[in-house]
Amino acid sequence: MLLSALVVFFFGSLGPWLNIRSRYYYGVLWGLNGLVQSSGWPTVVAIMGNWFGKESHGVVFGIWSANASVGNIFGALLVSALLPYGFQSAMMAAAFLLFLGAVVNLTCLVEHPSLVGLVSPRDSDSNGPAAAQSSETQHNIQDDETKPLLDPDNGSRPEVRDQPAVRRSRTGEKKKKGKAINFFSALLIPGVIVYSLSYACLKLVNYSLFFWLPYYLSNRYSSWATPEESDRLSTLYDLGGIVGGAVGGFISVGVTIM
């Protein structure tokens, strides 16, 4: 978000103020904008997954996904209000708000429930006998690690029981942590390519309407639709997106149950 704020400022405010007309300048900035913003969505989805279990994923993510439409509406209204003062002012205001949002997330966002002493929904199902046995094994490991190497009474080495089991437990703990899979391994997971292509087509339609609709309204109905009025009218598209996302989330829960 910090990098996005800087890119927006350099692209929409600083460049025009300095009368920069190089296509390479704006092309590089626009590509960099896509690069830094593309890292945001996977990150926030992972954080949301840490806080909510699979049973509530559909409803929670359906409602939460409205944040994109809310941002589009707020951005369109902000730009339409500041457009009379020049588009540079509108871009600077957007960059400033984006920078404030980045600071708030950096200082206040809690990435995982365990950081505040709560149990993660992913771990809530592991409170059965297996979890109790794992806890007992871990407790025994800690006891063995804190035992003195020599008995203080006779100077002999104390008996250490179940050393193979301890070694196996430690090995199991290391294996449990594992390593993150790489990009190509994730790509080969069944369904990833299909979902990615479907989402790409969805975003193609979404952003085509998002960027083209105000232009179409202001040109097709120029007698009454000013650029500011066209921006405000285009927000109706995102209002439908808010409702559609929530309804889709509830439907996904019903389909999962069936």
Side-chain angles (χ1 to χ4, degrees), residues 24-256:
Y24 300 105
Y25 173 82
Y26 292 103
V28 170
L29 284 177
W30 197 244
L32 183 61
N33 180 61
L35 176 65
V36 297
Q37 289 201 20
S38 64
S39 63
W41 196 255
T43 305
V44 294
V45 169
I47 294 175
M48 290 291 293
N50 291 336
W51 281 92
F52 298 96
K54 293 182 179 180
E55 294 79 7
S56 60
H57 269 182
V59 177
V60 171
F61 276 84
I63 297 175
W64 171 79
S65 64
N67 65 77
S69 297
V70 172
N72 292 340
I73 294 173
F74 180 76
L77 295 177
L78 175 67
V79 170
S80 64
L82 296 177
L83 200 56
Y85 303 98
F87 72 91
Q88 298 92 338
S89 301
M91 297 291 284
M92 185 176 66
F96 178 72
L97 291 176
L98 186 58
F99 180 83
L100 287 182
V103 172
V104 171
N105 278 288
L106 186 63
T107 56
C108 302
L109 179 64
V110 181
E111 302 172 1
H112 198 277
S114 62
L115 298 178
V116 289
L118 300 177
V119 179
S120 173
R122 295 181 177 180
D123 301 331
S124 60
D125 296 333
S126 59
N127 293 327
Q133 183 178 1
S134 176
S135 177
E136 182 180 356
T137 303
Q138 182 66 22
H139 180 70
N140 292 335
I141 294 174
Q142 293 177 354
D143 289 344
D144 290 335
E145 290 179 346
T146 55
K147 285 182 180 180
L149 294 177
L150 297 176
D151 193 332
D153 295 331
N154 53 22
S156 62
R157 184 180 297 275
E159 180 184 359
V160 179
R161 295 173 297 174
D162 300 331
Q163 287 185 353
V166 171
R167 286 196 295 268
R168 287 195 299 269
S169 299
R170 290 173 179 172
T171 305
E173 288 294 324
K174 292 180 180 179
K175 290 183 179 179
K176 186 178 180 181
K177 292 181 180 179
K179 294 182 179 180
I181 61 176
N182 56 35
F183 174 79
F184 295 102
S185 298
L187 197 63
L188 295 177
I189 296 176
V192 169
I193 295 179
V194 176
Y195 292 144
S196 300
L197 292 175
S198 301
Y199 191 67
C201 295
L202 175 64
K203 298 302 285 187
L204 176 63
V205 175
N206 180 62
Y207 281 110
S208 296
L209 287 174
F210 177 72
F211 288 109
W212 174 75
L213 189 57
Y215 173 80
Y216 171 79
L217 292 174
S218 61
N219 283 271
R220 180 66 175 80
Y221 305 100
S222 57
S223 59
W224 58 271
T226 62
E228 295 83 0
E229 185 66 23
S230 299
D231 283 335
R232 286 190 286 267
L233 285 174
S234 65
T235 59
L236 295 176
Y237 172 75
D238 286 298
L239 285 176
I242 295 175
V243 178
V247 172
F250 282 101
I251 293 176
S252 69
V253 173
V255 171
T256 303

